[in-house]
Every structure is written in structure tokens, then in C-alpha cells.
Amino acid sequence: SRRSRRDGRCLARARMTLAAVGLGANLGNAARTLRDAIDALDNVAGTRLLRASRLYRTPAWGVTDQPDFVNAVAVVDTTLSARDLLDVLLAIERDAGRVRIEGERWGPRILDLDLLLHGDAIIDEPGLRLPHPHLHERAFALLPLLEAWPDAGIPGIGPARECAGVMAADGIEPLP
């Protein structure tokens, strides 16, 4: 049976949910930070890393007067609820040195982890919206998502591939 590497509990009997996590950073050694965050995801109790996309260099979005970002997507199988997985993501950000400033959007960051998808969940609660409300509009998230999860669907929207097929991906390139 499959077992969590962290605590040894059997995961085979637990209800597993596929989830997608978007990763981004543009401060410090962003590529290393993302690799470390992917490793951290693989060590979360009740969660198993299935795949991670390549790392992509992407132009800054929203506030464009900042360094380019490095982005990726990790796909995990998890027994955690969406809220519990989000809490883990926020803890990984804090461990990497991220300090969230209320009201700050699109600025430079040492690490940004977004819960993009959690199974077919549609959730709209304070601090948690699924699917990620802008996933279907952002090539920097869709391209790595489709690499890691080619048949991903966005609940309430449709196949991620169809969303990606109609948007420009200018300046988004895989890192060597």
C-alpha cells in the first residue's frame, strides 16, 4: 500500500483528491525556492507529489516594474481538505520567509503558493476561492498546469486546455 513518507499512515484507504498548486517567486534565488517548495509539498503528511511542471520564466503580471517571475505547478494527491491544504501552503510560504501584507497584490515576493484546484471543488469562502478565480485567465499558471496535468478541468469553466488555447503566452519560457 502507499504510505506517507512523513508519518507512515496508510494513504491507500483514505479518500484522495487531486489538487494543483501554483508556485511563483521573483526575489532571491527563485528557482531554488520553488524547488525547495516542491520538496516541502512532497513531505506533507497525507499528501503525495505526483508531478511537477518545469520551471518557467514569466514576465511580471499586474505590477510590471519588478523582476520576472519563475513559475511552476505541482499536482498532488491529498487526503487534506482544501482549507487544510491552503493552511499548509501558507506555512511553507512563511518558512521560506514570505510575509504577507494585507492588501498587497501582484508585488515582488520570495514565494507565492496558490491552491489552483482541489478536485472538482467550487468554494467561495473568506480566504479560499476554488478554482482559483483567475486561473482560466493566466497563461503563466495554465501552461505549467497543463504540463503537469494535461487533462485538468477547471470546475465551472471547462477544460484548462481550451482556456490556454485562446490566450497569448508571450514571454513565457521554460528554464533550461
Side-chain angles (χ1 to χ4, degrees):
S1 68
R2 297 187 312 248
R3 293 190 180 275
S4 164
R5 284 189 270 289
R6 186 160 183 222
D7 66 7
R9 288 183 303 180
C10 183
L11 297 180
R13 297 180 207 274
R15 183 173 183 274
M16 303 296 284
T17 301
L18 279 178
V21 176
L23 302 95
N26 72 340
L27 297 176
N29 186 337
R32 177 177 297 272
T33 300
L34 263 59
R35 288 185 188 104
D36 289 347
I38 290 167
D39 287 345
L41 281 171
D42 196 28
N43 287 307
V44 172
T47 299
R48 184 169 52 104
L49 177 69
L50 298 178
R51 293 174 288 290
S53 71
R54 293 175 289 178
L55 303 182
Y56 288 82
R57 181 175 319 283
T58 62
W61 192 90
V63 176
T64 57
D65 185 23
Q66 61 179 315
D68 286 348
F69 275 80
V70 176
N71 291 101
V73 167
V75 177
V76 299
D77 217 2
T78 186
T79 61
L80 299 178
S81 70
R83 176 66 67 184
D84 288 345
L85 183 55
L86 177 62
D87 289 345
V88 167
L89 300 180
L90 295 174
I92 292 170
E93 284 183 355
R94 284 190 302 275
D95 289 348
R98 168 94 185 259
V99 176
R100 286 183 172 259
I101 300 169
E102 189 166 334
E104 179 186 274
R105 295 180 56 143
W106 305 314
R109 48 201 63 184
I110 195 156
L111 180 61
D112 186 34
L113 299 177
D114 290 324
L115 184 54
L116 303 175
L117 300 167
H118 191 274
D120 58 2
I122 297 176
I123 300 172
D124 189 356
E125 300 173 357
L128 177 61
R129 292 180 62 200
L130 285 174
H132 187 283
H134 301 290
L135 174 59
H136 65 287
E137 303 168 337
R138 296 181 175 169
F140 68 82
L142 285 171
L143 292 179
L145 172 65
L146 289 168
E147 181 181 320
W149 189 354
D151 59 347
I154 303 172
I157 303 288
R161 184 162 307 288
E162 289 179 13
C163 297
V166 298
M167 67 180 55
D170 299 341
I172 299 173
E173 57 189 39
L175 292 178

